[in-house]
Amino acid sequence: MTTTPPARPVPEALAGLPGFTRDPAELERVRTDRSGYVPPTRPAGLVQARTVEDVVRTLRAAHEHRVPVVPRGAGTGLAAGASAREGEIVLDLHRMNRILRIDPVEQIAVVEPGVLNADLNAAAAEHGLFYAPDPASTSICSVGGNIATNAGGMRCAKYGVTREAVLALTVVLADGRVLTTGAGTVKAVTGYDLKALFIGSEGTLGVVVEAVLRLRPAPVATATVAAWFRDVGSAAAAASAVIAARATPSVLELVDGPTLGAIDLATGSAHRSRGEAFLLAQTDGFGAELERDVVLRAIEPFAESVLVADDPAEAEALVQARRSAIPSLEALGRVSIGDVGVPRHRLAEMVTGLRRIAEETGVEICTVAHAADGNLHPMIVVGRDEPITEGPPKLALGRMFELARSLGGTLTGEHGVGLLKQDWFTAEVGELSREVQHRIKQALDPRGILNPGKAV
């Protein structure tokens, strides 16, 4: 693991950049992300970039003076990948938020990294298009951060994760050189796929400053089904049954009882009174209703009750209930949000195993899942002043990673390794894979200044 050099004064070449500040309030703002982890110290400074040239000058100076740089987007990351400490400079990209071009014929958008997903979708909707990657935090997360972690979200079962939506990238390398990867076409196989290398690299190989994104036609119809279950295992079994029925819902989301209780408390809903788990399914396109019926037949044998939401407002309320899961839990305490993935037919084993881990460690674990692709978000909830990186919470985190691997899964599906999952990285990928990844890092960032200590 690359370590941060000892703290020393910020070189004038960096401190003199436009947008540089040591304002304590600003440093506190960029000290961490949404992971629940709080670094013991503040970063040494902050550069608020507005242009590509700002990024180039920052990295050129940081490379020359060997100053570590933590790239940051909207700060909604969940693995402490954007956390920063003394000796490090934060490169904040949220002001680079222009949609540079939308081409409705080619169905592409050219954007800066600070563009919020929701803003991109609003602009695309004017042309009858949409941007498919759809994290629950879509209203506050940025495209650059999504690219950094290869984010997925609620529509990824049908439309894929961020990687499937990125056609080309412009990246500033650690020494300030500007690299263009990919092409503005749907197909491009000239040379190595360097674009894919940067997607999911968590800001450790370069800083994305522009992206060409694939848009899709807005569905002509959407059908929504909600179901409540006696326990979370039944809900997971129903989700697996949907996949076994060869249905391809655009959304298939699972929420367990404790999370439903938090949502009810925060929003005034009454989901938990209807069951100890909830499943939300949506189908879309010309055959939305036909596919909805396939989903219904798969779910009904497992459910306590089922609702077909024909009213668009009712359907949107159900979607918003799922989106509110994390904010509702954050209202209760500090939250560490897991991100394990398992084969889809083993989803029920994973969710019942999580309940067992909670009972055995005494740690409260609340779970939501992108059930159609086996990606679960078990969330550890502790008191405001309790640590999440030591004691029972860390034990529970390790146990859930071990369980996922034992079921043929992974420790992260879309949030990345960041800082919080370093201890379990090698156990999953193996020594040779880690060595190869370190060599790639060394080739692109020989002085180790980009987001040191994160990801690999």
Side-chain angles (χ1 to χ4, degrees):
M1 181 190 305
T2 307
T3 57
T4 302
R8 55 191 175 89
V10 177
E12 182 57 34
L14 277 164
L17 290 174
F20 180 87
T21 181
R22 292 191 183 94
D23 177 56
E26 284 294 290
L27 296 184
E28 187 64 29
R29 177 182 67 82
V30 301
R31 182 181 182 181
T32 192
D33 51 21
R34 210 176 176 188
S35 63
Y37 171 73
V38 180
T41 55
R42 290 176 180 163
L46 163 68
V47 176
Q48 300 186 71
R50 293 179 180 272
T51 66
V52 174
E53 183 58 26
D54 289 343
V55 177
V56 168
R57 292 176 63 188
T58 299
L59 292 185
R60 190 178 292 153
H63 178 79
E64 179 183 351
H65 296 279
R66 299 178 184 268
V67 177
V69 175
V70 177
R72 178 187 179 85
T76 61
L78 297 167
S83 62
R85 55 186 174 173
E86 180 56 50
E88 299 175 337
I89 297 295
V90 174
L91 177 56
D92 188 345
L93 304 161
H94 86 275
R95 296 179 187 272
M96 294 180 65
N97 58 5
R98 293 180 300 160
I99 298 174
L100 301 173
R101 179 166 61 94
I102 290 181
D103 185 332
V105 176
E106 290 298 323
Q107 298 178 5
I108 62 172
V110 183
V111 304
E112 292 183 325
V115 170
L116 301 184
N117 283 42
D119 291 343
L120 174 56
N121 264 312
E126 296 179 9
H127 303 279
L129 303 170
F130 77 105
Y131 178 61
D134 184 40
S137 58
T138 186
S139 64
I140 57 173
C141 67
S142 64
V143 168
N146 288 182
I147 292 169
T149 62
N150 193 26
M154 294 170 61
R155 289 193 292 247
C156 55
K158 182 172 183 177
Y159 295 102
V161 295
T162 298
R163 178 174 288 116
E164 282 73 52
V166 178
L167 298 176
L169 294 173
T170 301
V171 182
V172 181
L173 300 179
D175 59 5
R177 290 179 295 169
V178 179
L179 173 70
T180 299
T181 71
T185 56
V186 174
K187 292 181 178 179
V189 293
T190 307
Y192 295 134
D193 190 358
L194 298 180
K195 162 180 63 69
L197 183 63
F198 288 99
I199 299 170
S201 65
E202 303 185 55
T204 63
L205 301 178
V207 177
V208 173
V209 291
E210 187 177 299
V212 181
L213 305 174
R214 185 178 185 180
L215 303 177
R216 295 178 183 269
V220 297
T222 300
T224 302
V225 174
W228 292 262
F229 303 81
R230 65 180 179 274
D231 55 51
V232 71
S234 299
S240 295
V242 171
I243 302 305
R246 301 294 189 266
T248 308
S250 55
V251 171
L252 189 64
E253 296 290 303
L254 180 151
V255 183
D256 75 354
T259 309
L260 288 176
I263 293 170
D264 289 344
L265 184 63
T267 67
S269 57
H271 289 287
R272 198 169 190 182
S273 67
R274 304 185 67 169
E276 277 300 305
F278 169 75
L279 199 62
L280 172 69
Q282 286 190 323
T283 54
D284 66 14
F286 289 99
E289 292 189 0
L290 291 174
E291 195 164 24
R292 176 202 62 193
D293 292 342
V294 175
V295 171
L296 267 173
R297 288 194 294 271
I299 288 174
E300 284 177 330
F302 302 90
E304 295 291 291
S305 63
V306 176
L307 169 67
V308 176
D310 292 323
D311 177 16
E314 184 177 40
E316 181 58 23
L318 291 167
V319 172
Q320 288 305 318
R322 164 60 184 90
R323 290 194 190 280
S324 67
I326 292 176
S328 297
L329 290 169
E330 288 175 332
L332 301 179
R334 182 178 293 182
V335 181
S336 176
I337 302 168
D339 173 40
V340 295
V342 296
R344 294 175 294 181
H345 71 282
R346 310 203 76 169
L347 189 66
E349 292 174 80
M350 187 68 202
V351 295
T352 54
L354 289 170
R355 298 293 349 126
R356 185 172 62 251
I357 291 170
E359 293 166 1
E360 292 173 356
T361 61
V363 172
E364 184 176 5
I365 299 177
C366 303
T367 300
V368 300
H370 306 307
D373 58 8
N375 184 195
L376 303 95
H377 298 317
M379 295 173 279
I380 295 173
V381 184
V382 301
R384 296 283 180 201
D385 299 322
E386 295 180 53
I388 61 172
T389 54
E390 58 187 63
K394 184 170 183 178
L395 174 62
L397 200 63
R399 289 277 302 278
M400 68 175 67
F401 293 152
E402 291 163 8
L403 174 61
R405 286 200 304 274
S406 74
L407 296 175
T410 177
L411 64 84
T412 177
E414 60 179 359
H415 294 168
V417 174
L419 182 68
L420 296 184
K421 301 172 189 175
Q422 285 285 320
D423 290 351
W424 303 277
F425 180 86
T426 304
E428 177 169 326
V429 304
E431 292 288 351
L432 179 57
S433 176
R434 182 163 190 151
E435 178 187 340
V436 170
Q437 293 183 57
H438 280 179
R439 289 182 178 181
I440 293 171
K441 166 75 170 171
Q442 177 68 20
L444 292 174
D445 181 18
R447 297 185 176 179
I449 67 163
L450 284 177
N451 220 5
K454 314 290 177 49
V456 302

